[in-house]
Amino acid sequence: MSSTERIVFYLMLFVLWLSVFSGSSHEVVRKLPRQVSPPKRLFSSNSKEKKTGEATEVPTFFSRRNKDGKIINAFEKDAWFDIHSRQSGESSLDTKANLTIDPSLIKNNENISVVWEGVTNPTAKDIIALYCPEYSKDNEYIDYFNADVSSTYEQGHGEHWVQLVNFRADCEMRYFRNYSQDHQELVATSNIVKFEGGPEQPLQVHLALTGDPSEMRVMWVSGTNVTPVVKFSVDKSLSLVAEGKSQTYNGADLCFLNGMFIDPGYIHDVKLTGLKPYTTYYYSCGVEGHMSEIRSFKTAPPVGSDVSYKFIVYGDMGMSPAAHATAKYAFRDIMNGYEFIFHHGDISYARGYAYIWDQWHALIEPYASIAPYMVGIGNHEQDHLDVSDKDPSNVTGNGWHPWWGNYGDDSNGECGVPMFHRFHMPENGNHLWWYSYDYGMVHYIMMSTEHNMGVGSRQYSWLEKDLMSVNRSKTPWIILAGHRPMYTSELAISDLFVSYGMQHLFEDLLYKYRVDLALWAHYHSYERTCPVYRKKCQQDGITHITIGTAGKEEDTESYEKEDWSLFQRKDDPYGYGRVTIANRSALHWEYFVNSQDKVIDDVWLKKPKHVRSSTHERDTLF
């Protein structure tokens, strides 16, 4: 036992001692097209951050920053203020001022120019605020920026560029002269900006595998619940048509409403069937008169087929500049033949600020709409402390909180609800929380580290049954993914507690059924182990890789020296993993770093010739 493990062990005993002795669902009104509600901004004292060393920032819609360049945290109340500019029936518009948005008809995620002129008595704290829908009250803004972003603001004019996503509504901006936090004066209102295609326009298009190589799932968002359709074929004639279903969720569906809720629109789900395996299809999705551009996808290879292929894996993305770089390079790889994405937890980091879901989906749409985007749950989508019956994963009470864990309010009230509605994974487990599928020579498993993983739990029983059913003559490789890592040498003590707990609960199970590769995230860094079992390198062990490097702020903790840890990187770690399934006995892992545009770590996994034992004694640490 290393010195760190001894410290952790005694800390855990102390925590255990303390634990022993220390004394509505809501029906959504549907309209055609959907009438978008103004955004609601709420704050709660329940919002807490539990992961040691992790920054808590949630960017505002415009990613506002302080003068020192540090991001303004939307979690903080002083990031926002109430706008009170007019009495009922009174206008305070400055007749000399003008505010213009150009262009006035835009595509989703397009930049616009915001120009103002003729403002009298301007101040540095004057603000220009965004309203979607345009009829929102003055205090129902999405975000704002100060007039002093322009060097000419003191002369009463300026220009600033911002990026808008389609909230399935028209938008406008308003200029307020800011005298104080308690009193602003409306100076000018802009022209209306509209989005191409209107509220019916298909947005956030993404694909998912179903586990059947003759199927593909297509999902998207719009402002209408007219029956969604996908037109598709092996050529661009799109002669085949499939219909699907639509659903949505409301702020009242969350475990508690915090941050800023924005109407998500209608989420459409169409499953294409009767497809030829490993075949390229063209498709367009939407409703009649409002169909998307034609895209293409490739179906999965037949189960067990000796097809070599490549895919991308990462966790912990969010909406930072690093996340944009990850999206850029991932798109390039998808265009160069990588076949799907495996994103295991901490997806958008919306955490109650719903505009981030719209921004994040727009970020990944270029490649998620041409390659399946497979997801798993992370602590920032799932965890909650409030007792609620709204958690769609069907947990009781406030979820799973083992005494050795650091499971808190990390979803800020979302408790898996947006994830559950926005993604539809294979249906052989518990929705997106745990599931599996076969793709060529590999059996893939996604699990939830935010739910009970112990013997007798629903998840453990499912995992054991799933592993028992794998036909290794068809799928000789087993790749498992979850969010929190089972093996880490990074010195975030509370997360080390969790890794030891995971080793105790189900490492034996993974070893018994010869899992080849275990992929984790949660740490915003990279680490690769040797083939390891019970903290010892051995030929028939499991290779564990932590790849939480897709964009969230890098970790600051140091590493403990461990014999089983072969490669670590926490400084400028941003990037992702590439996996090549070469053949039935060889798999190639690569760690690609965005800033260097190259692979800086790689390893070949090869099948051992002998068969491992299937029974082992358990560690007694717990």
Side-chain angles (χ1 to χ4, degrees):
M1 183 180 289
S2 69
S3 60
T4 300
E5 289 174 325
R6 290 190 184 95
I7 293 171
V8 170
F9 175 69
Y10 288 116
L11 282 172
M12 293 169 70
L13 289 179
F14 178 67
V15 172
L16 177 60
W17 181 85
L18 286 177
S19 68
V20 172
F21 292 101
S22 62
S24 54
S25 66
H26 179 79
E27 184 176 353
V28 179
V29 177
R30 290 167 164 78
K31 299 180 181 180
L32 302 178
R34 186 168 177 79
Q35 185 71 26
V36 179
S37 301
K40 302 298 182 183
R41 188 179 300 104
L42 298 100
F43 296 92
S44 169
S45 60
N46 290 332
S47 179
K48 298 174 183 176
E49 177 59 48
K50 293 294 183 181
K51 183 180 184 299
T52 301
E54 182 177 351
T56 62
E57 285 86 357
V58 172
T60 68
F61 179 77
F62 290 141
S63 294
R64 282 183 279 127
R65 293 180 179 271
N66 291 315
K67 296 301 182 183
D68 61 3
K70 185 179 180 181
I71 192 169
I72 292 175
N73 187 3
F75 263 112
E76 303 298 330
K77 289 186 178 181
D78 59 7
W80 313 97
F81 58 87
D82 292 340
I83 296 179
H84 302 290
S85 66
R86 291 173 286 190
Q87 300 296 324
S88 177
E90 179 185 348
S91 173
S92 56
L93 289 173
D94 186 339
T95 57
K96 297 180 180 179
N98 188 48
L99 180 63
T100 305
I101 297 174
D102 185 53
S104 58
L105 180 65
I106 64 173
K107 300 179 186 295
N108 186 32
N109 220 31
E110 186 174 343
N111 289 322
I112 60 168
S113 168
V114 183
V115 178
W116 61 96
E117 57 188 358
V119 177
T120 56
N121 302 316
T123 73
K125 293 185 178 180
D126 288 1
I127 63 172
I128 297 94
L130 172 68
Y131 296 86
C132 306
E134 81 285 2
Y135 53 78
S136 301
K137 296 177 182 177
D138 284 345
N139 201 40
E140 295 172 341
Y141 58 91
I142 302 288
D143 201 2
Y144 68 89
F145 58 85
N146 289 107
D148 64 358
V149 296
S150 172
S151 60
T152 60
Y153 82 93
E154 292 181 305
Q155 291 141 46
H157 65 88
E159 181 179 17
H160 187 55
W161 289 82
V162 295
Q163 190 175 51
L164 296 188
V165 295
N166 188 343
F167 288 120
R168 301 152 297 279
D170 297 340
C171 302
E172 73 176 21
M173 301 194 78
R174 300 172 197 166
Y175 188 114
F176 295 93
R177 186 180 294 111
N178 185 20
Y179 288 114
S180 69
Q181 286 280 72
D182 299 320
H183 175 68
Q184 298 82 35
E185 188 174 75
L186 180 63
V187 172
T189 299
S190 77
N191 53 302
I192 302 296
V193 60
K194 296 179 177 289
F195 291 89
E196 292 184 1
E200 296 87 0
Q201 180 69 21
L203 305 167
Q204 307 176 21
V205 182
H206 57 98
L207 305 171
L209 302 165
T210 70
D212 184 335
S214 69
E215 297 176 344
M216 185 65 75
R217 190 174 298 282
V218 185
M219 298 187 72
W220 70 96
V221 171
S222 76
T224 177
N225 68 348
V226 173
T227 301
V229 298
V230 174
K231 299 179 180 181
F232 64 102
S233 64
V234 293
D235 54 33
K236 294 185 178 180
S237 67
L238 308 185
S239 56
L240 303 173
V241 179
E243 294 185 352
K245 298 180 179 179
S246 305
Q247 43 84 26
T248 189
Y249 61 94
N250 193 277
D253 295 321
L254 307 180
C255 283
F256 66 87
L257 183 57
N258 200 4
M260 182 192 293
F261 186 80
I262 294 173
D263 192 314
Y266 289 100
I267 301 165
H268 310 293
D269 186 341
V270 179
K271 184 170 71 172
L272 309 184
T273 62
L275 309 177
K276 296 178 181 179
Y278 224 46
T279 301
T280 297
Y281 281 82
Y282 296 89
Y283 78 99
S284 175
C285 61
V287 298
E288 291 298 334
H290 296 274
M291 301 295 292
S292 72
E293 64 181 0
I294 297 175
R295 298 176 170 97
S296 65
F297 63 79
K298 190 175 185 180
T299 52
V303 176
S305 59
D306 293 336
V307 173
S308 176
Y309 63 88
K310 302 174 289 186
F311 68 95
I312 290 169
V313 58
Y314 53 70
D316 298 85
M317 192 173 191
M319 282 299 300
S320 67
H324 282 74
T326 293
K328 180 182 74 171
Y329 288 113
F331 175 65
R332 183 181 69 181
D333 277 350
I334 292 297
M335 293 297 290
N336 288 333
Y338 285 75
E339 297 190 8
F340 62 91
I341 300 93
F342 212 38
H343 187 167
H344 49 302
D346 283 6
I347 307 298
S348 74
Y349 283 87
R351 299 162 71 190
Y353 288 83
Y355 53 81
I356 291 179
W357 279 115
D358 290 279
Q359 290 176 315
W360 180 82
H361 273 288
L363 176 64
I364 67 158
E365 183 178 5
Y367 58 106
S369 59
I370 58 176
Y373 202 99
M374 309 303 288
V375 297
I377 204 78
N379 56 306
H380 287 299
E381 290 84 46
Q382 180 63 38
D383 292 357
H384 57 98
L385 290 176
D386 57 303
V387 177
S388 175
D389 60 357
K390 298 177 181 180
D391 186 329
S393 66
N394 295 317
V395 301
T396 58
N398 64 347
W400 191 50
H401 298 278
W403 67 266
W404 42 264
N406 58 351
Y407 296 75
D409 277 336
D410 297 343
S411 77
N412 202 35
E414 287 191 352
C415 67
V417 172
M419 285 284 289
F420 174 68
H421 289 279
R422 290 174 176 274
F423 297 97
H424 192 160
M425 294 295 107
E427 298 176 335
N428 63 346
N430 183 19
H431 303 285
L432 57 82
W433 288 275
W434 52 86
Y435 62 88
S436 67
Y437 61 95
D438 295 327
Y439 194 100
M441 295 176 279
V442 184
H443 182 72
Y444 295 90
I445 301 171
M446 186 71 79
M447 63 173 294
S448 170
T449 59
E450 313 313 302
H451 291 76
N452 195 338
M453 301 171 271
V455 175
S457 68
R458 285 192 304 147
Q459 181 169 203
Y460 186 99
S461 299
W462 173 86
L463 180 58
E464 182 175 37
K465 183 178 179 181
D466 185 79
L467 288 167
M468 288 174 61
S469 67
V470 177
N471 184 342
R472 299 306 280 264
S473 64
K474 280 192 170 184
T475 54
W477 295 100
I478 297 180
I479 297 177
L480 175 141
H483 187 59
R484 300 173 189 250
M486 179 180 284
Y487 273 88
T488 176
S489 64
E490 192 171 320
L491 294 177
I493 299 301
S494 63
D495 286 305
L496 281 175
F497 285 14
V498 176
S499 69
Y500 295 157
M502 291 170 63
Q503 290 170 36
H504 169 73
L505 292 178
F506 68 98
E507 183 182 18
D508 287 344
L509 182 65
L510 304 188
Y511 184 78
K512 175 180 178 179
Y513 289 103
R514 297 182 289 128
V515 170
D516 298 286
L517 176 62
L519 301 168
W520 314 103
H522 193 57
Y523 284 87
H524 307 158
S525 56
Y526 173 77
E527 184 168 20
R528 175 174 60 83
T529 75
C530 63
V532 61
Y533 174 61
R534 294 173 65 124
K535 301 184 178 70
K536 293 181 180 180
C537 296
Q538 51 193 63
Q539 185 181 16
D540 63 348
I542 302 164
T543 298
H544 295 260
I545 296 176
T546 299
I547 185 77
T549 57
K552 198 58 178 169
E553 294 88 349
E554 61 210 64
D555 288 346
T556 58
E557 295 87 355
S558 61
Y559 289 94
E560 172 78 353
K561 181 173 176 54
E562 299 284 2
D563 292 339
W564 44 260
S565 181
L566 301 186
F567 191 100
Q568 313 94 21
R569 184 182 177 93
K570 65 180 178 65
D571 298 324
D572 188 23
Y574 302 120
Y576 52 90
R578 295 166 165 173
V579 181
T580 300
I581 308 301
N583 53 49
R584 305 180 75 80
S585 60
L587 175 159
H588 191 209
W589 166 269
E590 298 175 303
Y591 168 41
F592 173 86
V593 173
N594 298 336
S595 62
Q596 299 184 42
D597 192 10
K598 70 177 184 179
V599 172
I600 67 166
D601 180 50
D602 75 303
V603 64
W604 280 93
L605 304 187
K606 297 184 178 180
K607 290 288 185 182
K609 295 180 180 179
H610 63 281
V611 179
R612 297 193 296 223
S613 169
S614 62
T615 58
H616 305 277
E617 295 180 359
R618 285 185 173 274
D619 197 316
T620 58
L621 177 60
F622 283 64

